[in-house]
PDB file of all heavy atoms in Angstrom:
ATOM      1  N   LYS V 173     -31.441   9.301 -17.225  1.00 87.00           N
ATOM      2  CA  LYS V 173     -32.140   8.017 -17.258  1.00 87.00           C
ATOM      3  C   LYS V 173     -33.381   8.090 -18.140  1.00 87.00           C
ATOM      4  O   LYS V 173     -33.629   7.192 -18.953  1.00 87.00           O
ATOM      5  CB  LYS V 173     -32.515   7.600 -15.838  1.00 87.00           C
ATOM      6  CG  LYS V 173     -33.184   6.238 -15.765  1.00 87.00           C
ATOM      7  CD  LYS V 173     -33.400   5.807 -14.328  1.00 87.00           C
ATOM      8  CE  LYS V 173     -34.429   6.676 -13.647  1.00 87.00           C
ATOM      9  NZ  LYS V 173     -34.774   6.180 -12.297  1.00 87.00           N
ATOM     10  N   LEU V 177     -33.921   5.753 -21.391  1.00 88.00           N
ATOM     11  CA  LEU V 177     -35.026   4.801 -21.389  1.00 88.00           C
ATOM     12  C   LEU V 177     -36.070   5.126 -22.456  1.00 88.00           C
ATOM     13  O   LEU V 177     -36.820   4.239 -22.883  1.00 88.00           O
ATOM     14  CB  LEU V 177     -35.678   4.773 -20.011  1.00 88.00           C
ATOM     15  CG  LEU V 177     -34.781   4.245 -18.875  1.00 88.00           C
ATOM     16  CD1 LEU V 177     -35.524   4.274 -17.551  1.00 88.00           C
ATOM     17  CD2 LEU V 177     -34.281   2.838 -19.176  1.00 88.00           C
ATOM     18  N   ILE V 203     -46.498  -5.382 -12.658  1.00 96.00           N
ATOM     19  CA  ILE V 203     -45.431  -4.360 -12.616  1.00 96.00           C
ATOM     20  C   ILE V 203     -44.685  -4.329 -13.943  1.00 96.00           C
ATOM     21  O   ILE V 203     -44.428  -3.253 -14.510  1.00 96.00           O
ATOM     22  CB  ILE V 203     -44.468  -4.635 -11.446  1.00 96.00           C
ATOM     23  CG1 ILE V 203     -45.187  -4.482 -10.109  1.00 96.00           C
ATOM     24  CG2 ILE V 203     -43.254  -3.711 -11.514  1.00 96.00           C
ATOM     25  CD1 ILE V 203     -44.354  -4.842  -8.902  1.00 96.00           C
ATOM     26  N   VAL V 207     -44.271  -1.311 -16.888  1.00 92.00           N
ATOM     27  CA  VAL V 207     -42.977  -0.881 -17.441  1.00 92.00           C
ATOM     28  C   VAL V 207     -43.018  -0.957 -18.959  1.00 92.00           C
ATOM     29  O   VAL V 207     -42.556  -0.043 -19.667  1.00 92.00           O
ATOM     30  CB  VAL V 207     -41.829  -1.762 -16.878  1.00 92.00           C
ATOM     31  CG1 VAL V 207     -40.535  -1.521 -17.646  1.00 92.00           C
ATOM     32  CG2 VAL V 207     -41.625  -1.480 -15.402  1.00 92.00           C
ATOM     33  N   ARG V 210     -45.266   1.869 -20.302  1.00 90.00           N
ATOM     34  CA  ARG V 210     -44.736   3.222 -20.085  1.00 90.00           C
ATOM     35  C   ARG V 210     -43.604   3.564 -21.039  1.00 90.00           C
ATOM     36  O   ARG V 210     -43.548   4.671 -21.589  1.00 90.00           O
ATOM     37  CB  ARG V 210     -44.275   3.359 -18.626  1.00 90.00           C
ATOM     38  CG  ARG V 210     -43.657   4.712 -18.297  1.00 90.00           C
ATOM     39  CD  ARG V 210     -43.190   4.745 -16.851  1.00 90.00           C
ATOM     40  NE  ARG V 210     -42.501   6.000 -16.553  1.00 90.00           N
ATOM     41  CZ  ARG V 210     -41.909   6.259 -15.396  1.00 90.00           C
ATOM     42  NH1 ARG V 210     -41.944   5.341 -14.418  1.00 90.00           N
ATOM     43  NH2 ARG V 210     -41.316   7.417 -15.210  1.00 90.00           N
ATOM     44  N   PHE V 211     -42.696   2.625 -21.248  1.00 89.00           N
ATOM     45  CA  PHE V 211     -41.507   2.904 -22.050  1.00 89.00           C
ATOM     46  C   PHE V 211     -41.547   2.242 -23.425  1.00 89.00           C
ATOM     47  O   PHE V 211     -40.582   2.343 -24.184  1.00 89.00           O
ATOM     48  CB  PHE V 211     -40.246   2.447 -21.294  1.00 89.00           C
ATOM     49  CG  PHE V 211     -40.000   3.204 -20.023  1.00 89.00           C
ATOM     50  CD1 PHE V 211     -40.394   2.694 -18.795  1.00 89.00           C
ATOM     51  CD2 PHE V 211     -39.383   4.452 -20.054  1.00 89.00           C
ATOM     52  CE1 PHE V 211     -40.166   3.395 -17.616  1.00 89.00           C
ATOM     53  CE2 PHE V 211     -39.145   5.154 -18.885  1.00 89.00           C
ATOM     54  CZ  PHE V 211     -39.539   4.630 -17.661  1.00 89.00           C
ATOM     55  N   MET V 269     -39.491  -6.778  -7.894  1.00 96.00           N
ATOM     56  CA  MET V 269     -38.836  -5.466  -7.898  1.00 96.00           C
ATOM     57  C   MET V 269     -39.854  -4.406  -8.284  1.00 96.00           C
ATOM     58  O   MET V 269     -40.782  -4.676  -9.051  1.00 96.00           O
ATOM     59  CB  MET V 269     -37.676  -5.447  -8.897  1.00 96.00           C
ATOM     60  CG  MET V 269     -36.508  -6.332  -8.529  1.00 96.00           C
ATOM     61  SD  MET V 269     -35.243  -6.364  -9.832  1.00 96.00           S
ATOM     62  CE  MET V 269     -35.986  -7.571 -10.954  1.00 96.00           C
ATOM     63  N   ALA V 270     -39.641  -3.198  -7.777  1.00 95.00           N
ATOM     64  CA  ALA V 270     -40.486  -2.076  -8.158  1.00 95.00           C
ATOM     65  C   ALA V 270     -40.141  -1.655  -9.583  1.00 95.00           C
ATOM     66  O   ALA V 270     -39.041  -1.939 -10.091  1.00 95.00           O
ATOM     67  CB  ALA V 270     -40.287  -0.911  -7.197  1.00 95.00           C
ATOM     68  N   ALA V 271     -41.058  -0.947 -10.229  1.00 93.00           N
ATOM     69  CA  ALA V 271     -40.834  -0.534 -11.614  1.00 93.00           C
ATOM     70  C   ALA V 271     -39.608   0.379 -11.733  1.00 93.00           C
ATOM     71  O   ALA V 271     -38.802   0.236 -12.659  1.00 93.00           O
ATOM     72  CB  ALA V 271     -42.084   0.178 -12.142  1.00 93.00           C
ATOM     73  N   ASP V 272     -39.458   1.313 -10.775  1.00 91.00           N
ATOM     74  CA  ASP V 272     -38.303   2.221 -10.823  1.00 91.00           C
ATOM     75  C   ASP V 272     -36.991   1.458 -10.658  1.00 91.00           C
ATOM     76  O   ASP V 272     -35.989   1.792 -11.289  1.00 91.00           O
ATOM     77  CB  ASP V 272     -38.425   3.280  -9.723  1.00 91.00           C
ATOM     78  CG  ASP V 272     -39.498   4.307 -10.038  1.00 91.00           C
ATOM     79  OD1 ASP V 272     -39.898   4.404 -11.225  1.00 91.00           O
ATOM     80  OD2 ASP V 272     -39.939   5.008  -9.106  1.00 91.00           O
ATOM     81  N   GLU V 273     -37.013   0.421  -9.815  1.00 95.00           N
ATOM     82  CA  GLU V 273     -35.792  -0.364  -9.629  1.00 95.00           C
ATOM     83  C   GLU V 273     -35.434  -1.129 -10.901  1.00 95.00           C
ATOM     84  O   GLU V 273     -34.257  -1.220 -11.271  1.00 95.00           O
ATOM     85  CB  GLU V 273     -35.975  -1.344  -8.467  1.00 95.00           C
ATOM     86  CG  GLU V 273     -34.711  -2.128  -8.154  1.00 95.00           C
ATOM     87  CD  GLU V 273     -34.873  -3.073  -6.981  1.00 95.00           C
ATOM     88  OE1 GLU V 273     -35.989  -3.135  -6.412  1.00 95.00           O
ATOM     89  OE2 GLU V 273     -33.891  -3.761  -6.640  1.00 95.00           O
ATOM     90  N   VAL V 274     -36.454  -1.654 -11.582  1.00 94.00           N
ATOM     91  CA  VAL V 274     -36.202  -2.358 -12.842  1.00 94.00           C
ATOM     92  C   VAL V 274     -35.555  -1.423 -13.857  1.00 94.00           C
ATOM     93  O   VAL V 274     -34.551  -1.757 -14.502  1.00 94.00           O
ATOM     94  CB  VAL V 274     -37.510  -2.947 -13.408  1.00 94.00           C
ATOM     95  CG1 VAL V 274     -37.286  -3.507 -14.818  1.00 94.00           C
ATOM     96  CG2 VAL V 274     -38.039  -4.041 -12.493  1.00 94.00           C
ATOM     97  N   MET V 275     -36.091  -0.223 -13.990  1.00 91.00           N
ATOM     98  CA  MET V 275     -35.558   0.720 -14.963  1.00 91.00           C
ATOM     99  C   MET V 275     -34.189   1.255 -14.550  1.00 91.00           C
ATOM    100  O   MET V 275     -33.340   1.520 -15.401  1.00 91.00           O
ATOM    101  CB  MET V 275     -36.545   1.868 -15.173  1.00 91.00           C
ATOM    102  CG  MET V 275     -37.918   1.428 -15.670  1.00 91.00           C
ATOM    103  SD  MET V 275     -37.851   0.193 -17.009  1.00 91.00           S
ATOM    104  CE  MET V 275     -37.050   1.124 -18.307  1.00 91.00           C
ATOM    105  N   ASP V 276     -33.966   1.409 -13.251  1.00 92.00           N
ATOM    106  CA  ASP V 276     -32.637   1.822 -12.781  1.00 92.00           C
ATOM    107  C   ASP V 276     -31.595   0.773 -13.166  1.00 92.00           C
ATOM    108  O   ASP V 276     -30.475   1.116 -13.598  1.00 92.00           O
ATOM    109  CB  ASP V 276     -32.634   2.007 -11.259  1.00 92.00           C
ATOM    110  CG  ASP V 276     -33.242   3.337 -10.845  1.00 92.00           C
ATOM    111  OD1 ASP V 276     -33.302   4.250 -11.696  1.00 92.00           O
ATOM    112  OD2 ASP V 276     -33.643   3.462  -9.668  1.00 92.00           O
ATOM    113  N   ARG V 277     -31.943  -0.495 -13.004  1.00 94.00           N
ATOM    114  CA  ARG V 277     -30.995  -1.556 -13.342  1.00 94.00           C
ATOM    115  C   ARG V 277     -30.750  -1.607 -14.856  1.00 94.00           C
ATOM    116  O   ARG V 277     -29.609  -1.809 -15.290  1.00 94.00           O
ATOM    117  CB  ARG V 277     -31.514  -2.905 -12.852  1.00 94.00           C
ATOM    118  CG  ARG V 277     -31.578  -3.006 -11.336  1.00 94.00           C
ATOM    119  CD  ARG V 277     -31.861  -4.437 -10.887  1.00 94.00           C
ATOM    120  NE  ARG V 277     -31.978  -4.530  -9.443  1.00 94.00           N
ATOM    121  CZ  ARG V 277     -32.025  -5.687  -8.765  1.00 94.00           C
ATOM    122  NH1 ARG V 277     -31.980  -6.839  -9.430  1.00 94.00           N
ATOM    123  NH2 ARG V 277     -32.144  -5.690  -7.453  1.00 94.00           N
ATOM    124  N   ILE V 278     -31.801  -1.414 -15.638  1.00 94.00           N
ATOM    125  CA  ILE V 278     -31.630  -1.405 -17.094  1.00 94.00           C
ATOM    126  C   ILE V 278     -30.738  -0.235 -17.515  1.00 94.00           C
ATOM    127  O   ILE V 278     -29.828  -0.382 -18.345  1.00 94.00           O
ATOM    128  CB  ILE V 278     -32.998  -1.333 -17.794  1.00 94.00           C
ATOM    129  CG1 ILE V 278     -33.768  -2.637 -17.580  1.00 94.00           C
ATOM    130  CG2 ILE V 278     -32.826  -1.068 -19.288  1.00 94.00           C
ATOM    131  CD1 ILE V 278     -35.181  -2.626 -18.162  1.00 94.00           C
TER     132      ILE V 278
END
Side-chain angles (χ1 to χ4, degrees):
K173 183 174 68 173
L177 295 179
I203 295 175
V207 168
R210 178 182 176 185
F211 296 98
M269 293 175 279
D272 287 342
E273 184 178 1
V274 172
M275 301 316 296
D276 281 340
R277 294 190 182 190
I278 292 176

